Amino acid sequence: MKIMDFFRKKGSGEVAKDRLKLLLVSDRANCSPEMMEMIKNDIIAVISKYMDIDAQGLDIQITETESDGSNGTVPALFANIPIKDMKHKPSR
Amino acid sequence: MSEVIVVTSGKGGVGKTTTTANVGTGLAMLNKKVVMIDTDIGLRNLDVVLGLENRIVYNLVDVIEGKCRLKQALIKHKKYPELCLLPSAQTRDKDAVTPEQMIQLIEELKQEFDYILLDCPAGIEQGFKNAIAGADRALVVTTPEVSAIRDADRIVGLLEANEMKKIDLIINRIRMDMVKRGDMLKVEDVCDILSINLIGVVPDDEQIVVSTNQGEPLVGTDCMAGEAYYNICKRVMGEEVPFMDLDAKKGVLNAFFKMFKK
């Protein structure tokens, strides 16, 4: 068993912990998929004013991140927004 | 001053009823007047775990509907006369009772008992709302599994939203051998994730099955789970009891050490 342990990267307990942490962050944020979709559309609308983005490739999710303060990890909104063209002029 | 405690978990099958039976019995062993209320209307269970199933005449719904007096429905335990059970109705559904009626019933019981323990049904619907309505504090039971912890977290959120004054965590059915192997969440991990006060850890123990078979709670008996439940009772009463070493192997040497501890 010990040798097998060496090959196994993580115990299933660790896996459970990591899964739970992520799961509870989004549970606690109480974000419905509809709300996430609305946030996503609003982000697209705002960013599109300044640059050309790939709306299809946009990905947002709630995760957690190390806070700068001393209070450990805090919930964070993670957004990955692929930019098509930076030279897009503001429409104003 | 009497205290009203709800035992809840969200997920079913994690040990709410077993916990209620053992904590209730343990508090009675510590010379407190205790009444346990089975609020799981339609799925009566607590009576069986306590071995009182043959003595039920009236139930919770009968009391609330005024078909009998409260005293008539209370079943005294065989061994501890200070321990009573108010059984739930088996043939009704959860809507037969409202939170207001529960609060009123509890107020009446407060006159006579030190501790009122409410065994909450699984889920977060009407039965849950009835059970938490009159409670001062909650014991949230979970097992070290992803699904149970997720539900416990949701329950904690709902309890906080309902302004529950005190919320404590019981981690049930932990297996130290699996924790050691890294195949089960550690006690610290569960506490860390749920971030509420830990009041007890109950190891997975075959004796629980034996005790349920016999209808006699094992609190206070000479086994790991029995000791763990007894410690929880003392902590519920406000005593500071160190958490026991769940790793300790039963054996001659251990029995020898125990002699010195006492």
Side-chain angles (χ1 to χ4, degrees):
Chain A
M1 271 318 270
K2 283 273 144 58
I3 302 161
M4 286 304 286
D5 283 356
F6 183 76
F7 290 108
R8 207 164 42 178
K9 278 178 203 138
K10 254 185 193 176
S12 64
E14 264 316 284
V15 177
K17 186 178 163 189
D18 294 343
R19 285 178 62 210
L20 257 171
K21 276 193 166 167
L22 265 180
L23 184 63
L24 292 189
V25 168
S26 55
D27 274 5
R28 285 171 186 166
N30 203 10
C31 268
S32 61
E34 293 81 42
M35 196 171 130
M36 289 299 277
E37 196 58 36
M38 279 157 68
I39 294 174
K40 189 170 149 181
N41 289 335
D42 285 357
I43 290 176
I44 293 172
V46 172
I47 311 281
S48 299
K49 282 209 269 185
Y50 304 98
M51 54 191 79
D52 203 5
I53 60 169
D54 174 14
Q56 294 298 312
L58 187 138
D59 171 41
I60 66 166
Q61 57 193 33
I62 290 173
T63 59
E64 55 181 14
T65 185
E66 290 293 327
S67 103
D68 292 334
S70 53
N71 48 350
T73 54
V74 290
L77 182 70
F78 166 88
N80 187 6
I81 311 166
I83 299 167
K84 277 191 194 151
D85 185 8
M86 277 296 277
K87 278 166 248 160
H88 185 76
K89 293 278 182 295
S91 53
R92 270 196 285 151
Chain B
M1 251 295 277
S2 50
E3 201 166 28
V4 187
I5 309 171
V6 59
V7 180
T8 181
S9 71
K11 189 177 175 295
V14 297
K16 283 181 296 297
T17 304
T18 310
T19 302
T20 311
N22 280 287
V23 172
T25 310
L27 288 168
M29 287 165 88
L30 291 158
N31 298 319
K32 294 288 171 190
K33 287 184 171 180
V34 184
V35 60
M36 291 174 277
I37 310 178
D38 189 349
T39 65
D40 199 347
I41 301 166
L43 293 169
R44 185 155 79 193
N45 268 328
L46 187 55
D47 52 333
V48 185
V49 177
L50 288 161
L52 299 172
E53 68 273 22
N54 293 327
R55 300 168 54 170
I56 297 175
V57 183
Y58 296 108
N59 59 53
L60 173 68
V61 179
D62 291 330
V63 175
I64 281 178
E65 290 179 346
K67 286 186 184 149
C68 68
R69 278 175 289 115
L70 179 53
K71 281 253 168 71
Q72 291 177 293
L74 292 177
I75 303 165
K76 278 202 170 72
H77 194 269
K78 294 164 268 184
K79 235 164 145 188
Y80 311 98
E82 305 282 49
L83 181 67
C84 284
L85 168 73
L86 181 55
S88 97
Q90 180 71 332
T91 51
R92 301 293 295 269
D93 63 56
K94 308 229 156 41
D95 304 319
V97 176
T98 66
E100 291 72 31
Q101 289 170 325
M102 282 303 290
I103 293 172
Q104 208 186 335
L105 174 75
I106 288 166
E107 282 307 317
E108 208 176 319
L109 287 166
K110 271 185 186 172
Q111 319 272 320
E112 201 152 329
F113 295 95
D114 300 317
Y115 286 97
I116 299 161
L117 251 67
L118 298 139
D119 184 19
C120 180
I124 51 173
E125 295 87 17
Q126 187 64 40
F128 170 75
K129 286 174 192 156
N130 287 340
I132 66 164
D136 304 317
R137 64 186 288 189
L139 299 177
V140 175
V141 185
T142 190
T143 57
E145 288 161 73
V146 179
S147 50
I149 295 169
R150 184 193 201 179
D151 289 1
D153 187 72
R154 182 103 167 82
I155 288 295
V156 171
L158 289 169
L159 291 173
E160 279 169 352
N162 280 281
E163 282 156 10
M164 187 64 64
K165 284 171 223 142
K166 203 165 180 324
I167 306 171
D168 297 300
L169 178 68
I170 294 176
I171 302 175
N172 198 10
R173 248 181 251 154
I174 197 147
R175 286 184 50 182
M176 292 321 283
D177 56 328
M178 289 190 74
V179 173
K180 263 195 193 159
R181 259 189 278 147
D183 274 336
M184 187 174 267
L185 282 159
K186 287 182 242 155
V187 171
E188 305 89 80
D189 290 344
V190 180
C191 293
D192 192 33
I193 289 164
L194 290 173
S195 56
I196 54 170
N197 177 54
L198 180 72
I199 198 165
V201 181
V202 184
D204 193 34
D205 194 332
E206 285 183 2
Q207 289 305 313
I208 288 283
V209 180
V210 176
S211 104
T212 311
N213 288 345
Q214 291 168 335
E216 283 166 17
L218 50 58
V219 59
T221 60
D222 188 27
C223 66
M224 296 277 259
E227 271 178 60
Y229 276 124
Y230 199 61
N231 287 345
I232 291 173
C233 296
K234 288 191 196 161
R235 290 188 199 112
V236 165
M237 288 170 61
E239 209 176 299
E240 285 217 13
V241 187
F243 283 88
M244 61 191 221
D245 181 15
L246 298 173
D247 247 352
K249 294 251 157 38
K250 289 260 161 192
V252 184
L253 206 67
N254 202 50
F256 182 72
F257 281 130
K258 240 182 163 176
M259 270 163 51
F260 285 95
K261 262 194 231 165
K262 280 179 184 166

